[in-house]
């Protein structure tokens, strides 16, 4: 009994405007009453007090008024059913609206061939950069392969993060040379499957395909993953250096066409511009090519109005008599299923609160991606959820309003105390705020060069890597959506010359002293409230250790290629050792 009452307390209507039809039922009853009065010439020829005794239809209608009342009850129940009564939620699989894409780049020695000046690799990196800039939505991953395949960037909706690794891609970061396209396809398929996608695209950038690659492409399309190929090089071929000796590589377009045919995809040769990418269909992924993320579900209110339809039909049975055809057709029309109005209407009358919040979240994410931070701030300000306040903090930080951004992150943490992305971004914004020069003082050149590393919101919601309010996340489909932090731009500045140990120690001590003075000055400003922090106050020992760690990190050269080389080497050794 308690469960029934709890369900009744949650009763609401998905399409409440249909209830306005109940106001028309009294008019319908009056019209029906008038319609039962026979309109015949005898009314003008016979006295009114004799007419009921002469016209049998009027008398029978007065003696049997119950069909009329049953019809009105059927119409009332039909209107209630069309209003969409709902008392419970039902889980549905969370679907992505765009097909994911895994880009597999050949990083063998042959990628340095000079038949596509300045090299095949340079042309391929430029083409991937164009793809990442112009692709209209959907998650993207980057895989590099030679003798084996390795993940450069996992699936994410933040294409800018993937582009950060392009300059670091060189054949010397691969543990061993070779052109194992079959392993690249299998590894890309595994990335898609582990992310929970039943369908997706794999784009291979190489110059030929062997029998093993053809077999791997056939297995991929059987599993639901389409394999396409973008040819690198020319039929005349070019030369490249292999350990001090010269090698030659040519484009085998015929084998790549067979690969695309086996994988259910398309083949194109690399040409300037983006015509080849449009022909491959990777710039505008089809909306109906989405895939359900395994294990990711979203709950929505269930329409229980259909339970009233059998009772409506039972009450309407007496209407199927002579002279009541119009009323029967009216009741049947009310019982017909109607399209969901909220799918097209943009107003709040046809939307539940969670649907309106989701639409608002999507609008804010779109404004953020378009770098219209003022509109994004205005949109996210109306969202009281943890994700909404987190996204608001990101937009405020991008607009340079660091204090307001920190306050938004604090509100998000109050609603979701263990939100790791909000904690990390709050710390980054707080550090950026402290680096700001005092009013009236010009920033130093070194301050201009420091990246802020703000996160990018993604539509899709926690649904993946971004927090777009779609309910999954993720979206988790990934952090990327606003939950993923951008990595700083890679620089190719020359490594600094090593200093004398005594000079280095003196520099570290001076730097620690400057930092401590800045901290004391920041804490001692009169009238300025202490910054709100989600972490407990540091002790002197902890602060000294943190300052020393920061000084040590600043001496580490920025070498993304070296990081990839070390990561691939460890992964290669693990595979060779048969580890998990």
């Amino acid at each position: 009994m308690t469960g029934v009452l709890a369900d009744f307390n949650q009763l609401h209507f998905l399409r409440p405007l249909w209830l306005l039809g109940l106001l028309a039922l009294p008019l319908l009853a009056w019209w029906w009453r008038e319609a039962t009065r026979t309109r015949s010439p005898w009314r003008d020829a016979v006295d009114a007090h004799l007419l009921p005794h002469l016209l049998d239809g009027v008398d029978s209608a007065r003696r049997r008024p119950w069909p009329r009342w049953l019809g009105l009850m059927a119409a009332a129940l039909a209107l209630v059913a069309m209003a969409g009564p709902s008392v419970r939620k039902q889980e549905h699989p969370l679907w992505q609206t765009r097909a994911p894409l895994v880009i597999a780049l050949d990083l063998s020695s042959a990628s340095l061939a000079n038949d596509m000046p300045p090299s095949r690799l340079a042309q391929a990196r430029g083409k991937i950069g164009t793809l990442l800039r112009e692709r209209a939505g959907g998650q993207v991953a980057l895989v590099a392969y030679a003798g084996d395949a390795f993940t450069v960037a996992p699936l994410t909706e933040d294409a800018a993060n993937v582009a950060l690794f392009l300059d670091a891609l060189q054949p010397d970061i691969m543990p061993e040379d070779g052109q194992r396209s079959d392993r690249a396809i299998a590894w890309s398929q595994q990335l898609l499957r582990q992310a929970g996608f039943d369908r997706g695209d794999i784009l291979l950038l190489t110059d030929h395909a062997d029998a093993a690659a053809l077999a791997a492409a056939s297995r991929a399309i059987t599993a639901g993953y389409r394999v396409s190929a973008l040819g690198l090089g020319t039929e005349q071929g070019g030369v490249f250096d292999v350990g001090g000796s010269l090698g030659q590589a040519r484009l085998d377009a015929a084998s790549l066409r067979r690969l695309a045919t086996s994988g259910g995809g398309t083949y194109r040769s690399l040409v300037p511009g983006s015509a080849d990418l449009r022909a491959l269909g990777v710039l505008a992924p089809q909306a109906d090519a989405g895939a359900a993320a395994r294990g990711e579900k979203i709950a929505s209110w269930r329409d229980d109005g259909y339970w009233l339809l059998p009772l409506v039909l039972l009450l309407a049975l007496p209407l199927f008599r002579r002279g009541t055809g119009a009323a029967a057709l009216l009741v049947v029309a009310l019982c017909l299923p109607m399209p969901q109005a909220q799918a097209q209407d943009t107003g709040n009358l046809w939307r539940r609160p969670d649907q309106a919040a989701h639409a608002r979240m999507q609008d804010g994410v779109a404004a953020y991606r378009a770098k219209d931070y003022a509109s994004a701030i205005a949109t996210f300000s109306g969202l009281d959820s943890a994700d909404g306040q987190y996204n608001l903090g990101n937009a405020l930080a991008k607009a340079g309003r660091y204090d307001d951004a920190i306050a938004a992150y604090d509100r998000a943490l109050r609603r979701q105390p263990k939100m790791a992305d909000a904690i990390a971004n709050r710390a980054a914004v707080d550090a950026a705020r402290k680096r700001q020069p005092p009013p009236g003082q010009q920033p130093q050149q070194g301050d201009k060069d420091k990246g802020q590393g703000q996160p990018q919101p993604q539509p899709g919601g926690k649904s993946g890597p971004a927090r777009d309010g779609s309910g999954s996340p993720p979206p988790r489909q990934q952090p990327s959506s606003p939950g993923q932090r951008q990595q700083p731009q890679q620089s190719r500045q020359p490594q600094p010359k090593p200093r004398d140990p005594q000079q280095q120690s003196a520099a570290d001590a001076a730097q620690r002293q400057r930092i401590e003075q800045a901290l004391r000055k920041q804490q001692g400003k009169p009238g300025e409230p202490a910054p709100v922090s989600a972490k407990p106050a540091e002790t002197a020992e902890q602060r000294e250790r943190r300052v020393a760690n920061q000084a040590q990190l600043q001496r580490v050269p920025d070498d993304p290629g070296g990081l990839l080389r070390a990561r691939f080497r460890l992964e290669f050794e693990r595979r060779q050792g048969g580890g998990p």
Side-chain angles (χ1 to χ4, degrees), residues 182 185 209-219 255-256 258-260 262-263:
D182 57 324
I185 296 173
D210 54 16
L214 297 179
S218 299
R219 290 192 294 270
S255 65
L256 292 178
R258 292 194 296 272
L259 175 73
S262 300

Side-chain angles (χ1 to χ4, degrees), residues 181-231:
S181 299
D182 57 324
R183 294 187 178 180
I185 296 173
W187 187 255
S188 302
Q189 179 180 342
Q190 181 177 344
L191 283 181
L192 292 166
R193 184 173 60 252
Q194 288 178 346
F197 291 104
D198 298 322
R199 287 178 288 175
D201 290 330
I202 300 173
L203 177 61
L204 210 65
L205 281 75
T206 186
D207 61 356
H208 78 281
D210 54 16
L214 297 179
S218 299
R219 290 192 294 270
I221 189 61
T222 302
Y225 307 109
R226 188 180 66 164
V227 181
S228 299
L230 184 62

Side-chain angles (χ1 to χ4, degrees), residues 58-74:
V58 173
D59 187 61
S60 61
R62 290 182 176 179
R63 291 195 306 268
R64 295 193 302 272
W66 53 270
R68 180 168 65 244
W69 295 110
L70 291 179
L72 291 175
M73 293 176 60

